[in-house]
Amino acid sequence: MDKLIIRGGQRLVGTIPVSGAKNSALTLIPCALLTEEPVTLRNLPRLADIDGFQHLMNQFGVTTAIQGTRPEDFGRTMRLEATRITSSVAPYDLVRKMRASILVLGPMLARAGEATVSMPGGCAIGNRPIDLHLKALEALGAEIELAQGYVKAMQPDGGMPGGDFDFPVVSVGATENAVMAAVLANGTSRLFNAAREPEIVDLCNLLTAMGAEIEGIGTSDLTIHGVKRLHGATYRVMADRIEAGSYACAAAITGGDVRLEGAKADEMQATIHALRSIGVHVDEDAKGIRIAANGALRPADLTTAPYPGLATDMQAQLMALLCKADGTSVLKETIFENRFMHVPELARMGADVTANGRTAVVKGVDTLTGAEVMATDLRASMSLIIAALAAQGESQVRRIYHLDRGYERLEEKLKLVGADIERVGDD
Ligand code: EPZ
């Protein structure tokens, strides 16, 4: 296992290219199941989870080919062709490594008439149930069976009729599964209180390019008119708004001046608003955003919420930034039940953070000190990197395989703007 060694204190200055969005790519890839024609996805980030999903698609008989990178993209191009489906089962040993595999349930059901997916376990940030995925698919007409740790979804005789579902809780994944199941249904489906994250818009835009008929894209009420078949398409994955927000926090905590090339400001308004309230200077333009800070950081009270609210995936990173603010901040995590695992690790670097249930109180300190810390989940790991970049002395961040799932070429990108960081084998 590798670890990262970071010597803090360098102001980050320069330009960081933003990669394609992991959380969009993970729902765009299974869309290839919905047609026999080739689907080509551009700007895919080089991440462990993307490789894992490619392997899972191969498991179903989908041929995939990496076609290098176009000059205008940072990520790779992947061509997927589901001419014929040879298996509709997503096995435990693949699903347990990548819980996003659950996103094959809807498209496989729509394409093959049935889908069997191992129940994804919980993870560090919560038990991550999938009840809303299953209720939504049942509302569209699917028959669901749970047995031996697997979910089996089947179309009724005559195919999926489609139907209406009102989400009691906003769920990104359940919305994605429902949309992918509805596009080939016999009738019209209406989803209420659906997730509105930009990644859902990306999904709906790809499906529309494939011939799907979806109304209300970008709103919480989606109407999907099922069509007989979908055709292939070529589509460029959106920029990763969480990666961009993460590097914005890194630039800000070092009092740096960094341009995030490719970041889409209009998809990051809640994060930009939070940064500005903390005293960070943010310039938006059509091709990216510029982050500048002069060292003085103000405290803030932040609460995560479904889009367009502040992304839960930005909470840990903003907490790291607020550890250096001049005053006391309060962060409320409303989406997941256990998303403060970065708190004890930040405390080991001298941060003054008290977590109580879903609320954390951050008292800003003048100095963070480098320490050996342990990554626990993807965004918690990034918060430790952010703190280490501003800490005095050397930090070692271990178990960085968590980071490799969500941050493409992390140390390379940080070195581009002057960070003193290196990846070494962890004895
Ligand atoms: C997606 O997870 C993202 N992952 C997460 O990003 C992100 O934190 C989350 O959306 C919220 O924005 C991917 O897109 C691959 P949810 P997802 O369903 O779809 C509860 C990262 O760091 N819920 O919107 O699993 C659930 O427990 C990852 O990149 C149910 O109760 O999130 C949570 O409390 C972490 N039943 C809330 O809804 C269900 O059936 C929101 O979860 C489904 C969810």
Side-chain angles (χ1 to χ4, degrees), residues 325-377:
D326 180 15
T328 300
S329 305
V330 178
L331 286 98
K332 288 193 176 70
E333 172 54 64
T334 69
I335 306 292
F336 289 109
E337 64 267 30
N338 186 32
R339 205 166 195 180
F340 284 144
M341 273 167 322
H342 38 291
V343 168
E345 296 304 305
L346 289 170
R348 301 191 61 242
M349 301 174 82
D352 181 349
V353 188
T354 312
N356 186 355
R358 292 191 178 214
T359 300
V361 176
V362 183
K363 289 197 176 73
V365 294
D366 290 336
T367 311
L368 293 172
T369 49
E372 274 193 53
V373 289
M374 194 75 79
T376 51
D377 63 273

Side-chain angles (χ1 to χ4, degrees), residues 217-275:
I217 296 175
T219 75
S220 47
D221 293 347
L222 294 172
T223 299
I224 300 120
H225 303 288
V227 293
K228 278 269 163 284
R229 60 186 300 282
L230 293 176
H231 49 74
T234 294
Y235 189 79
R236 188 176 190 276
V237 176
M238 63 179 268
D240 195 317
R241 62 192 173 102
I242 305 299
E243 184 203 26
S246 303
Y247 287 123
C249 292
I253 202 170
T254 63
D257 186 342
V258 170
R259 177 168 176 73
L260 299 170
E261 198 61 39
K264 282 275 179 55
D266 61 357
E267 293 166 353
M268 305 175 57
Q269 285 304 302
T271 294
I272 289 172
H273 181 73
L275 289 168

Side-chain angles (χ1 to χ4, degrees), residues 22-23 26 99-100 125 128-133 169-173 197 312-313 335-336 339 378-379:
K22 164 180 83 84
N23 288 351
L26 292 174
R99 53 175 293 99
I125 64 177
R128 313 288 295 273
I130 60 165
D131 57 313
L132 297 177
H133 296 243
V169 169
V170 173
S171 164
V172 170
E197 272 67 5
T312 171
D313 291 350
I335 306 292
F336 289 109
R339 205 166 195 180
L378 174 57
R379 307 305 174 181

